[in-house]
Amino acid sequence: MKRTKVVDLLKDPALIGTEVEAKGWVRTRRGNKHVQFVQLNDGSTIKNIQIVFDMAKFSDEELKPVTTGSSLCVKGILVESQGKGQTCEVQAESLLVYGTADVEAYPLQKKGHTLEFLREIAHLRPRTNTFGAVLRVRSTLAFAIHKFFNERGFQYLHTPLITASDCEGAGAMFQVTTLDLNNLPKDEAGKTDYSQDFFGKPTALTVSGQLEGELGATALGQIYTFGPTFRAENSNTPRHLSEFWMIEPEMAFYDITDNMDLAEEFVKYCINYALDHSLDDIMFLQEMYDKDLVDRLKFVVENDFVRLSYGEGVKILEESGKKFEFPVHWGTDLQSEHERYLVEEHFKKPVILTDYPKEIKAFYMKQNEDGKTVRAMDVLFPHIGEIIGGSEREENYDKLLARIEELGIPMKDMWWYLDTRRFGTVPHSGFGLGFERLVLFVTGMTNIRDVIPFPRTPGKAEF
Ligand code: 4AD
Ligand code: MG
């Protein structure tokens, strides 16, 4: 006989009255000397299947290892449930215990552990209802992303994780080396001799696949990347990870307006897809953590995002009369508190801010005629702040080169990127969506460490 997943046991009426085989991990067990009830979960759904043990057929000894966390194979008849809270249950006929879980040692014995505690046992937390739900939503969203781009003719481009260029120019990179750190080879000037390193030059983990993405877009037309990115910033916030996943579409012949249209359509599609395919999990998270979750998701999907310039946004903030921790005026980078004021208090809608001062944005963004601003676009979300950052790209060779020189970016690293502007340059645009920030929004969780299986943050690289 073949095992049936719990999700199918619970929804396939044709199985009622037949013999089935259920496998999974015990969530709880209760009962009396006549009958024992076990809640079994196999991760296929937030719901458990109830296994009923008629104690006339089983001995106490046989059921002794059936404790929270133990793993079982149960054969029996699937019947409509007499009790409340479930539609059907398995009346056990045979039991095999794959693995026991010592009651004293297994840390997920009791319910109601704090999220902070669960972070300390991230190797086991996927077995909780909360993390089961979050990880299923995460997986659903990942699939939605591929589906969205695939349906629109985008090619999935794999960009390198090891790189010699700093895309965002922020210098927050993790170095990759095989040199002996206790015995570094030196050149004549006394500096580390990277010619002896594995790649013959300094390399690091990528902060973004965009630059290579542009190479792809100016050949394949429209591409997207979806992979891990690494930032060595010392940002200990509920919205920053040192290792996070980013989706970066890049499109030839798109201007900033096309870019905004795509970004808006894209996030709405993903949220809708999650509502359609992960509603059980989202409803669970709503009940546990965030009473307004579904309303908020629907609101974002159903309403147009507000679009305005950075300058207009700053004006609203200055005139708001609100005391911000970080004062704001034209030229300052916006902090999360400013972004959230615009979104949550002023417009009460997602906002796309454009045309930021060039000083606070990356070198590759297209310069506006005013000489002061660039064609950047940040998508700002309730509860999250910045969820997407993107821009139209500077396609003019001379302007791009001038900006690179102005910022002192080493040219020898950028020759291949500049070639896109030397040979058949075209207007093009793209953006990056922080995957965990999207998962954060859709799950209603409040800390980014709780929406990635094994978070990496300053001082933490456990598991
Ligand atoms: O705004 P960022 O830095 O933009 C880029 O990297 C561009 N190359 C994207 C592009 O145009 N192709 O990052 C993009 C998004 C942010 O809006 C945010 O959602 C997320 O990535 N992000 C982070 N998420 C988690 N932890 C961090 N440390 C993040 N840094 C950025
Ligand atoms: Mg950004």
Side-chain angles (χ1 to χ4, degrees), residues 254-262 307 352-355 368 374-378 390-393 428-430:
Y254 269 49
D255 67 14
I256 181 91
T257 307
D258 303 323
N259 204 25
M260 287 192 279
D261 291 345
L262 183 76
R307 299 179 184 190
I352 310 183
L353 274 192
T354 58
D355 303 294
N368 278 320
V374 286
R375 244 166 256 184
M377 52 161 244
D378 277 8
S391 75
E392 189 169 336
R393 316 307 188 192
H428 63 288
S429 301

Side-chain angles (χ1 to χ4, degrees), residues 167-168 207-208 210 231 233 239-241 244 246 248 250 364 386-391 393 430-434 437 448:
C167 172
E168 293 306 300
V207 296
S208 158
Q210 178 195 324
R231 304 236 172 141
E233 339 161 51
R239 325 228 176 284
H240 287 88
L241 290 164
F244 65 99
M246 186 155 53
E248 294 185 278
E250 191 72 33
Y364 52 70
E386 179 191 338
I387 194 163
I388 285 178
S391 75
R393 316 307 188 192
F431 61 82
L433 167 73
R437 296 205 183 163
I448 201 162

Side-chain angles (χ1 to χ4, degrees), residues 369-384:
E369 291 70 31
D370 64 11
K372 292 195 303 192
T373 58
V374 286
R375 244 166 256 184
M377 52 161 244
D378 277 8
V379 180
L380 314 178
F381 256 41
H383 284 225
I384 306 292

Side-chain angles (χ1 to χ4, degrees), residues 163-202:
T163 172
S165 53
D166 181 358
C167 172
E168 293 306 300
M173 302 181 85
F174 290 101
Q175 199 175 339
V176 173
T177 180
T178 53
L179 292 177
D180 178 355
L181 296 181
N182 292 312
N183 186 19
L184 289 171
K186 302 282 179 180
D187 62 15
E188 279 150 26
K191 295 238 171 84
T192 303
D193 180 8
Y194 283 104
S195 70
Q196 296 187 43
D197 202 351
F198 191 88
F199 295 106
K201 58 178 170 182

Side-chain angles (χ1 to χ4, degrees), residues 232-237 240-242 449 456-461:
E233 339 161 51
N234 201 4
S235 303
N236 249 313
T237 83
H240 287 88
L241 290 164
S242 312
R449 293 165 181 79
R456 271 84 182 93
T457 52
K460 285 251 176 337

